[in-house]
Amino acid sequence: MDILGDLTGILGEGGVLAAPEDRGAYERDWRGLVNNPAIAVLLPKTTEQVAEIVKLCARHGVAIVPQGGNTGLVAGAVPVAGGGQVILSLARMKAVRGIDLANDAMTVEAGVTLKEVQTEALEAGRFFPVSLGAEGSAQVGGVISTNAGGMQVLSYGSMRAQVLGLEVVLADGRIWHGLNSLRKDNTGYDLKQVFIGAEGTLGIITAATLKLSPAIKARGSALVGVGSVAAAVALFQAARGALGTALTLCEFMDAPAAQLGAAHSARQTPPFAAPGYVLLEVSSLDEAQNPDEMLERVLGGALESGLALEAVIAQSGREREELIALREAISEGELAEGGAVKHDITVPAGRMAAMVLAVNELIAKDYPGLRPNVFGHLGDGNLHINIRPPVGQKAAGLAPVKEAITRAIEGLAVSMAGSFSAEHGIGQLRLAGMLTHKGAVELDMMRAIKSALDPAGLFNPGKTIPGAP
Ligand SMILES: Cc1cc2nc3c(=O)[nH]c(=O)nc-3n(C[C@H](O)[C@H](O)[C@H](O)COP(=O)(O)OP(=O)(O)OC[C@H]3O[C@@H](n4cnc5c(N)ncnc54)[C@H](O)[C@@H]3O)c2cc1C
């Protein structure tokens, strides 16, 4: 194809991967559910190269699929079927452009990984709070484009709350220089918000200025056994009441999820048996405070009242990492052991127990043999209610019932005043949910924004907004 020569002219030989064997890893999504060919994978090194690519692709009518670490769980970063798309990977845009300690801000290019941002912040004597299982691969551009949440939303908010400014290449090839570190700027629309969580449908994020938080001076972590989801929610409320903003993490795992996470991490088994587990973390900016004592006070009361069945407090950094790994390894464990029909719902805290109960009853009654695997961000009301196939089988075998299960679980969440996609976004796997659950007015406003910024449908067609150009 003609365009490949022009693309090579912009990016050089190493910047254009056109051979099928070179493209393969970029064309398949993390879950292995979608695998469609791209014309080529493009690896720009500068914002100006991204702008040149966009202008060239617009002239040729070739659509662009932006890609970060390709760890998204809704196949947003890989092509849709039908051809005519290039993948634009930001992996080679890895510069840390600057750290401004006076302003508690860091400007990085889109291809810097989340883990690298955390490490840079730590080395600068600060803290970057967004943390998730895929942080070693997920990139700043992808994490912003999905408005990822992770384990510390409870006290720091999701990625949206960490973004101060953006640099974006628009569909006409112009560069929007929106990098700044201002905390206040009410000069018309806050345009960066439009691109955060847009899943690459409105522009290509090439750099971001991120907010840095004060360094954590002391931390305590505990794993607590509970008898039910209702007890887990009550424990969260008690812990938050006693600890306030010092409670920085509160995650839930049912027994199967904890066993799976343990089996795929260093521990092999959870430290004790329980029907459910709550992982709690307390952080302090004051090294004179003792987070373990704060946890002991809360857990002492919970054990006495019967809200908690058993508890361990990490005694070292290594023990803390093992407890966190138990939770973080669940998704990879699911994938390694046959996959699952995955869901990512939020409901108000008071409805969480009813939600899980309803799903367990539904599966036991209509799909006996399938295995609910429930875990997630308890403090945010965000649960991953995943349904695993019978032991020894693969989730691909659930194809005939998959849609019905997902419709039922998403419908239950929405009927409980919840959302059918809390933090993973829509991509190409949750479009049916958009049509079912989003109102016509909301969809019209989204299509209007898409038409205004990308009238030809150049960026990520077939994703996120059904019926958009
Ligand atoms: C083990 C595991 C654990 C996870 N845990 C969590 C979790 O706790 N919380 C959570 O929210 N998510 C979680 N995720 C999902 C995923 O890691 C996040 O969505 C992450 O933010 C994706 O980043 P990425 O760089 O891999 O993006 P990609 O997957 O490459 O892309 C995601 C979307 O963003 C678009 N995009 C990527 N880069 C750009 C750019 N520069 N400009 C414009 N658009 C772009 C893509 O087109 C796509 O639509 C998890 C995933 C895994 C595999």
Side-chain angles (χ1 to χ4, degrees):
M1 205 175 174
D2 265 9
I3 192 174
L4 287 179
D6 291 344
L7 287 167
T8 308
I10 298 170
L11 298 173
E13 286 293 338
V16 181
L17 309 180
E21 63 274 19
D22 296 334
R23 300 188 323 246
Y26 298 86
E27 292 172 339
R28 189 178 50 250
D29 80 305
W30 189 85
R31 296 172 64 192
L33 297 179
V34 176
N35 191 351
N36 293 313
I39 296 167
V41 177
L42 311 178
L43 294 156
K45 284 185 173 165
T46 66
T47 303
E48 288 69 29
Q49 286 182 341
V50 174
E52 288 305 306
I53 294 170
V54 167
K55 284 182 204 156
L56 184 69
C57 287
R59 271 205 306 280
H60 286 261
V62 167
I64 298 174
V65 180
Q67 188 176 96
N70 196 14
T71 69
L73 297 174
V74 290
V78 294
V80 291
Q85 301 143 81
V86 289
I87 295 172
L88 194 160
S89 165
L90 282 296
R92 295 206 298 184
M93 292 192 58
K94 290 190 74 69
V96 176
R97 292 195 189 164
I99 298 182
D100 177 359
L101 288 182
N103 240 337
D104 285 320
M106 180 196 294
T107 299
V108 293
E109 291 186 343
V112 175
T113 67
L114 188 52
K115 185 79 196 164
E116 288 164 345
V117 170
Q118 293 166 0
T119 306
E120 287 285 341
L122 208 63
E123 284 170 4
R126 299 290 188 274
F127 177 58
F128 189 76
V130 176
S131 165
L132 43 88
E135 63 199 20
S137 308
Q139 298 173 9
V140 165
V143 177
I144 293 173
S145 297
T146 53
N147 183 27
M151 299 210 278
Q152 301 189 97
V153 172
L154 185 57
S155 45
Y156 293 95
S158 59
M159 193 61 180
R160 188 181 297 282
Q162 325 305 328
V163 178
L164 298 171
L166 287 181
E167 178 185 272
V168 182
V169 175
L170 304 175
D172 59 9
R174 283 183 301 164
I175 301 167
W176 174 45
H177 296 283
L179 292 174
N180 71 68
S181 57
L182 300 176
R183 267 57 177 188
K184 288 187 162 184
D185 179 18
N186 281 351
T187 51
Y189 302 139
D190 187 356
L191 291 171
K192 65 179 178 292
Q193 301 299 346
V194 174
F195 297 96
I196 302 171
E199 301 184 59
T201 60
L202 300 178
I204 302 194
I205 296 170
T206 48
T209 301
L210 304 172
K211 183 165 89 184
L212 299 177
S213 292
I216 304 294
K217 297 285 172 43
R219 199 179 254 134
S221 312
L223 187 71
V224 189
V226 290
S228 64
V229 178
V233 174
L235 176 65
F236 162 61
Q237 282 159 349
R240 194 171 55 173
L243 300 164
T245 52
L247 180 69
T248 46
L249 182 150
C250 182
E251 298 283 307
F252 175 76
M253 298 167 268
D254 69 2
Q259 282 152 12
L260 188 65
H264 289 267
S265 63
R267 281 211 62 92
Q268 297 302 308
T269 54
F272 50 82
Y277 299 84
V278 177
L279 183 62
L280 295 172
E281 194 156 276
V282 168
S283 305
S284 173
L285 305 181
D286 176 359
E287 48 204 333
Q289 266 189 336
N290 185 335
D292 286 355
E293 282 174 9
M294 294 157 81
L295 278 169
E296 276 163 21
R297 269 198 304 278
V298 172
L299 295 179
L303 286 163
E304 219 165 88
S305 68
L307 206 54
L309 305 176
E310 201 167 341
V312 289
I313 294 178
Q315 297 301 310
S316 63
R318 191 179 56 80
E319 281 187 21
R320 171 188 181 260
E321 277 165 25
E322 282 183 9
L323 292 184
I324 299 280
L326 190 89
R327 163 66 186 85
E328 283 191 332
I330 298 170
S331 292
E332 291 190 19
E334 266 182 356
L335 188 67
E337 295 198 23
V341 181
K342 283 165 99 69
H343 306 96
D344 169 36
I345 61 101
T346 20
V347 290
R351 311 297 285 273
M352 258 189 285
M355 177 72 206
V356 176
L357 203 64
V359 173
N360 284 338
E361 279 175 8
L362 168 91
I363 298 298
K365 180 169 146 290
D366 294 345
Y367 307 98
L370 302 195
R371 297 173 293 157
N373 193 45
V374 181
F375 60 97
H377 313 297
L378 184 72
D380 312 327
N382 174 197
L383 292 176
H384 304 305
I385 304 187
N386 298 345
I387 309 299
R388 297 177 65 203
V391 179
Q393 294 182 25
K394 295 216 178 300
L398 300 182
V401 293
K402 186 176 169 220
E403 284 310 315
I405 291 175
T406 295
R407 257 201 315 277
I409 292 179
E410 291 184 354
L412 273 168
V414 173
S415 76
M416 294 186 186
S419 165
F420 69 96
S421 187
E423 58 174 9
H424 295 161
I426 303 301
Q428 49 185 317
L429 298 184
R430 300 241 175 266
L431 281 170
M434 285 296 264
L435 283 172
T436 312
H437 303 300
K438 279 280 175 195
V441 176
E442 278 169 302
L443 283 176
D444 277 353
M445 286 195 284
M446 290 187 196
R447 289 182 190 124
I449 293 171
K450 172 74 175 167
S451 297
L453 289 178
D454 181 19
L458 185 68
F459 294 138
N460 236 351
K463 316 270 171 63
T464 313
I465 318 294

